[in-house]
């Protein structure tokens, strides 16, 4: 018999959540950076084409594209306050989406699924830095427990598909992702994107920049295109079922106020910056270890934060009309 690798057909990759921040970055790497190998088919699915909460629609889309590999990014997400109000809703919808995608992948013989978890799944009470072995060591932060528990279950389900069926389904855990095509909406966007939008507006209106909180919480930020390049490596090379954290090093964790200054510089904002300390800071830090990633890829170069911020700000200014605001 011929070796299966030499005869393996080119991958047909289905990317769920393909119109979001990470999906758009993967599309860029695949189409603009030679991330697509000869003969491969890549399909970027948006929620407009299929509601993955619905099993029939999920099956129909798998029937249509017949993927051999799946990158699963789709999720029901909202801003902090919506999560607090509707934890049950986020729990049930995300459990359904994930079960539909994983079980349909299994039933259709998909070779590999790489799902996207979130750093909010980590235990609230923990020692730092957090690594991959600590995901289930205690409950997540209370504000979005529904979403977090649904995301944790992907890891449990991956273990189950491997134990019972030998499936190589795995997951990645990016830290705070930012970049073009992010959600820049004041109510429910990610922190850097909201700050970019606020700075843009303050500059336009000649008003001070109001930053919620003290600016002292520390975060590790990773540029979406770096995440996308790492996703392709995971899809092609990473063989573990256990998840892997995709993050810059612990030493790159920095206070929000430093990022605010980089954004002000990138947008040439010269006005006053006011930190509204009456607003909650959230968790003071969530330091994650990228030691496992570094064992595999010691030489991977991350985009420096100031450079990624400049690129994202430029994209936002130039695409303001199509950006999610």
């Amino acid at each position: 018999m011929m070796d299966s690798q030499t005869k393996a057909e080119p991958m047909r990759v289905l990317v769920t959540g393909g119109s979001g921040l990470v999906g758009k970055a993967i599309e860029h790497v695949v189409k603009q950076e030679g991330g697509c190998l000869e003969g491969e088919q890549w399909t970027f699915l948006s929620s407009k084409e299929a509601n993955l909460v619905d099993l029939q629609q999920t099956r129909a889309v798998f029937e249509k594209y017949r993927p051999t590999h799946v990158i699963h990014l789709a999720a029901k997400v909202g801003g902090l306050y919506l999560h607090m109000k509707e934890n049950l809703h986020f729990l049930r919808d995300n459990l359904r989406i994930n079960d539909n995608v994983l079980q349909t992948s299994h039933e259709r013989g998909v070779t590999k699924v790489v799902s996207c978890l979130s750093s909010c799944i980590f235990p609230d009470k923990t020692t730092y830095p957090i690594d991959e072995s600590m995901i289930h060591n205690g409950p997540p932060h209370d504000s979005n427990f529904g979403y977090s528990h649904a995301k944790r279950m992907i890891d449990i389900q991956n273990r189950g598909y491997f134990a019972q069926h030998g499936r190589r389904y795995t997951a990645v855990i990016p830290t705070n992702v930012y970049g073009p095509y992010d959600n820049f909406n004041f109510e429910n966007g990610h922190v850097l994107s909201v700050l970019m939008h606020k700075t843009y507006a303050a500059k336009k209106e000649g008003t001070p920049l109001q930053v919620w909180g003290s600016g002292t919480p520390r975060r590790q930020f990773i540029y979406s295109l770096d995440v996308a390049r790492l996703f392709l490596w995971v899809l092609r090379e990473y063989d573990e079922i256990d998840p892997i954290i995709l993050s810059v090093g612990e030493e790159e964790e920095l206070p929000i106020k430093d990022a605010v200054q980089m954004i002000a510089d990138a947008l040439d904002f010269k006005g006053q910056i006011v930190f509204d300390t009456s607003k909650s800071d959230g968790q003071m830090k969530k330091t994650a270890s990228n030691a496992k990633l570094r064992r595999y890829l010691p030489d991977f170069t991350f985009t420096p934060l100031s450079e990624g911020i400049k690129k994202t700000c430029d994209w936002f200014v130039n695409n303001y009309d199509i950006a999610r605001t």
Side-chain angles (χ1 to χ4, degrees), residues 127-159:
T127 54
Y128 296 100
I130 298 169
D131 68 35
E132 291 85 354
S133 70
M134 299 159 68
I135 297 172
H136 302 283
N137 296 357
H141 193 265
D142 216 33
S143 59
N144 56 357
F145 70 87
Y147 176 79
S148 299
H149 277 293
K151 282 290 193 189
R152 282 185 184 190
M153 290 310 294
I154 292 178
D155 176 50
I156 304 294
Q157 212 161 338
N158 286 342
R159 295 186 207 179

Side-chain angles (χ1 to χ4, degrees), residues 173-203:
I173 311 170
T175 45
N176 295 68
V177 188
Y178 71 97
Y181 298 98
D182 200 356
N183 180 357
F184 295 83
N185 180 283
F186 290 145
E187 294 304 308
N188 58 17
H190 293 125
V191 58
L192 286 195
S193 309
V194 170
L195 289 167
M196 288 172 193
H197 192 180
K198 280 186 167 183
T199 307
Y200 173 87
K203 182 184 175 182

Side-chain angles (χ1 to χ4, degrees), residues 1-2 15 36 50 52-53 60-61 75 87 113 116 119 121 126-127 139 173 194 202 208 223 235 240 243 260 275 315:
M1 263 186 64
M2 288 187 72
V15 182
C36 177
L52 301 174
V53 174
V61 97
N87 265 297
V113 180
C116 195
S119 56
I121 72 174
T126 184
T127 54
I173 311 170
V194 170
Y223 189 48
L235 185 69
E240 294 184 41
V260 171
F275 291 90
W315 182 88

Side-chain angles (χ1 to χ4, degrees), residues 53-168:
V53 174
D54 181 300
L55 180 58
Q56 295 331 112
Q57 290 188 41
T58 307
R59 283 178 171 161
V61 97
F62 273 74
E63 179 69 42
K64 180 176 177 183
Y65 295 111
R66 302 181 4 266
T68 60
H69 293 68
V70 172
I71 291 178
H72 175 38
L73 309 171
K76 255 310 157 40
V77 288
L80 174 68
Y81 299 104
L82 191 61
H83 275 283
M84 287 166 79
K85 218 168 56 209
E86 299 184 6
N87 265 297
L88 177 65
H89 172 77
F90 284 102
L91 175 73
R92 296 185 68 222
D93 274 1
N94 284 296
L95 284 172
R96 282 199 186 106
I97 290 169
N98 299 334
D99 186 61
N100 288 347
V101 169
L102 290 171
Q103 180 61 16
T104 304
S105 293
H106 166 60
E107 287 171 0
R108 297 196 60 94
V110 169
T111 306
K112 186 167 182 180
V113 180
V114 182
S115 296
C116 195
L117 309 185
S118 157
S119 56
C120 72
I121 72 174
F122 291 133
D124 184 33
K125 305 276 185 285
T126 184
T127 54
Y128 296 100
I130 298 169
D131 68 35
E132 291 85 354
S133 70
M134 299 159 68
I135 297 172
H136 302 283
N137 296 357
H141 193 265
D142 216 33
S143 59
N144 56 357
F145 70 87
Y147 176 79
S148 299
H149 277 293
K151 282 290 193 189
R152 282 185 184 190
M153 290 310 294
I154 292 178
D155 176 50
I156 304 294
Q157 212 161 338
N158 286 342
R159 295 186 207 179
Y161 284 113
F162 181 68
Q164 211 167 314
H165 302 290
R167 292 283 184 216
R168 295 238 162 238

